[in-house]
Amino acid sequence: MGEVILRDLVVQRESKSFTDSLYAVLTAAGRFKGPKFMLSALSGMAFIFSVHKRLLSFSVTAYGNWGTVHKRAAYSLGVYTASDGGRTRHPTFQHYQQEAVQWIKSSIDVGLGAIYWIPEFGVIHGYDDDDRIFYVQDGHASESRILLYDNFGINCTPFWNAQIFGENINIPAEDMALEALRLALDEWESPYPVMPNQDIASGRLAYAYLIQALEQGDYDEFGAMYILDTFRVSRKEIKLFLQEAVSLFPDLQDACLCYDKIADMTEGLDLWVVSGTDGRKVNRSDIPALVAMLKEARDLEEQSMDIFKQLSGRYPDLQRTTVPRWGLHTAR
């Protein structure tokens, strides 16, 4: 078809890179209507918290099998999805690479961009068959990157990953909210997202890894800031989601108050950060105060998870017919 570009698809970096990309693709295609915080929570992505024991920056995307996690995110929103990925060293890579080029082009032809591991995650929003290139957005720059078809999947990591989307269905608002809480519980109770590797922790244990690294002082400065910045954004997203969800489940009121406190505390993270020629980093002299805040946040989250668990037990199988109040709709 020559050149096709989805010009209404714009990635804005505000949350996790996958969340930003998913929101850009679905909203541009009319598959989701509503604020990003709602998509982040309903997909379960807001509740993901993963930390490497040395606070390496890849912690933020080291949350297990991407295929499983990202498909679950789309399914929770009622959106059909298909994905592929693996290691570029595999002898079959070139075959799957060229197959992926074709199904991504087909997706763009019907108005749906594709999520692509750059790294981190970004969006393929156009292509040009004459030059055999894709146009890629990462949310950091206003200009699109150029990706040769023959270089698809090749990057500075050993992995490649891409995901496309299709039609969506209506899911009752209560069901979506309850599923989000169950995803939160799963994340909180799962200590190691990349088994058998125990260098990376998630949920409750992620707090322990973060606190221990800060207290010991042997950690990656950039990674620490990236983890903390992402943590701050996600806790604000959860707070805003619960403020909406409490109208569906009044029993969430105490959890809502807990996350209000967490969001307020994390908004003050910059008080413990210094900026220099080598970028932002945690002020080492402020680590005791930062650790105290993280311990309080962990305890508040623990209280909230108890509330989620009790609520989940009271509603074992919601089957309702109401349309979600946050605007997910069928687009054909």
Side-chain angles (χ1 to χ4, degrees):
M1 285 184 67
E3 183 182 65
V4 180
I5 300 177
L6 304 178
R7 301 192 183 276
D8 292 335
L9 199 166
V10 179
V11 180
Q12 294 184 326
R13 287 302 303 269
E14 298 165 323
S15 184
K16 293 183 176 73
S17 62
F18 180 82
T19 301
D20 292 329
S21 301
L22 181 64
Y23 187 74
V25 170
L26 296 186
T27 55
R31 263 55 173 182
F32 185 88
K33 288 188 177 180
K36 188 180 291 185
F37 72 79
M38 192 59 76
L39 177 141
S40 185
L42 293 176
S43 66
M45 294 301 298
F47 297 99
I48 289 175
F49 180 35
S50 54
V51 176
H52 186 275
K53 65 181 181 181
R54 290 201 61 251
L55 311 189
L56 302 180
S57 60
F58 73 81
S59 297
V60 174
T61 52
Y63 42 74
N65 184 301
W66 290 337
T68 300
V69 175
H70 295 162
K71 283 183 179 179
R72 183 186 68 186
Y75 295 156
S76 296
L77 298 169
V79 180
Y80 169 82
T81 188
S83 65
D84 205 352
R87 291 181 179 269
T88 53
R89 72 165 187 262
H90 290 161
T92 55
F93 165 66
Q94 190 171 10
H95 170 77
Y96 286 105
Q97 175 200 55
Q98 294 307 311
E99 286 290 321
V101 166
Q102 296 306 315
W103 49 257
I104 288 173
K105 286 170 53 183
S106 297
S107 181
I108 292 170
D109 287 341
V110 296
L112 280 153
I115 295 181
Y116 175 68
W117 176 247
I118 298 175
E120 295 179 324
F121 291 100
V123 168
I124 296 177
H125 69 109
Y127 68 86
D128 188 328
D129 260 347
D130 295 333
D131 292 331
R132 291 183 53 79
I133 59 172
F134 283 123
Y135 298 106
V136 183
Q137 290 187 35
D138 63 5
H140 289 297
S142 56
E143 300 270 331
S144 296
R145 298 188 188 190
I146 301 301
L147 172 68
L148 295 174
Y149 291 170
D150 290 339
N151 287 342
F152 176 91
I154 299 172
N155 55 73
C156 63
T157 75
F159 309 106
W160 74 277
N161 187 266
Q163 185 171 1
I164 58 173
F165 305 89
E167 298 295 340
N168 61 303
I169 60 171
N170 289 328
I171 302 177
E174 294 90 339
D175 285 8
M176 294 181 79
L178 189 64
E179 179 62 18
L181 302 181
R182 287 170 173 163
L183 292 175
L185 286 167
D186 287 345
E187 172 65 18
W188 187 252
E189 299 289 351
S190 301
Y192 302 112
V194 193
M195 288 295 291
N197 187 340
Q198 296 188 6
D199 288 346
I200 302 165
S202 59
R204 179 192 291 112
L205 189 60
Y207 270 105
Y209 275 33
L210 177 54
I211 290 168
Q212 182 176 348
L214 290 170
E215 289 181 331
Q216 292 180 346
D218 180 23
Y219 62 85
D220 182 81
E221 298 274 12
F222 174 79
M225 283 309 313
Y226 189 27
I227 292 167
L228 288 168
D229 285 340
T230 306
F231 173 76
R232 169 168 50 188
V233 170
S234 64
R235 270 49 201 169
K236 182 177 180 180
E237 290 174 335
I238 298 169
K239 163 195 167 178
L240 295 172
F241 160 68
L242 289 174
Q243 287 176 349
E244 299 287 333
V246 75
S247 65
L248 302 174
F249 299 107
D251 290 351
L252 289 174
Q253 183 60 47
D254 286 343
C256 192
L257 293 174
C258 286
Y259 275 99
D260 282 348
K261 293 178 183 177
I262 295 171
D264 287 345
M265 290 189 300
T266 55
E267 277 299 311
L269 276 174
D270 286 339
L271 295 173
W272 304 310
V273 173
V274 293
S275 299
T277 55
D278 54 348
R280 296 165 63 239
K281 58 185 178 182
V282 176
N283 187 343
R284 298 274 175 156
S285 64
D286 287 328
I287 284 177
L290 175 57
V291 165
M293 183 276 287
L294 290 169
K295 289 179 177 178
E296 185 176 356
R298 176 198 59 200
D299 293 345
L300 288 167
E301 288 218 57
E302 193 77 74
Q303 294 175 39
S304 299
M305 295 302 155
D306 288 342
I307 294 168
F308 295 172
K309 188 178 296 184
Q310 293 170 21
L311 183 64
S312 177
R314 284 199 291 275
Y315 297 91
D317 238 332
L318 281 178
Q319 293 293 333
R320 310 196 184 196
T321 57
T322 55
V323 175
R325 299 171 195 178
W326 26 75
L328 185 65
H329 70 294
T330 302
R332 300 189 182 277

